[in-house]
Amino acid sequence: ARVSPVMPLLVIFFMSYLVGSVFMVIYETAIDTIFLCFLIDEESNADGNMFASDSLLKVIGKYEKNSQQIAAANEDAVGLKEPLLDAETLQQKATY
């Protein structure tokens, strides 16, 4: 009797997709938590004595100028439904 590999492949695909999706949700939650903790650290330790690691401070500092540009462009657009400038637009305009 010949056995079709379709059903085992579908089960493996579904389970792989499920495991990958759960992993990405956990990863996204961890990144959000790290950034939230950074913001609380920055707010609580405004005197510059932060607990954040040097590598995290370096990454945040790397994009500080872009964040200030986005905030300045969107400052006047508080009542608008969409921001005037977003990170993707700024990234496309950036020259490296």
Side-chain angles (χ1 to χ4, degrees), residues 19-32:
V19 168
S21 296
V22 169
F23 175 81
M24 290 308 294
V25 166
I26 293 170
Y27 183 77
E28 180 182 5
T29 303
I31 296 298
D32 288 345

Side-chain angles (χ1 to χ4, degrees), residues 47-67:
D47 60 357
N49 193 15
M50 294 177 60
F51 292 104
S53 68
D54 292 335
S55 58
L56 181 59
L57 290 172
K58 183 179 176 183
V59 169
I60 299 295
K62 180 179 179 181
Y63 298 104
E64 183 177 6
K65 185 177 178 182
N66 289 350
S67 296

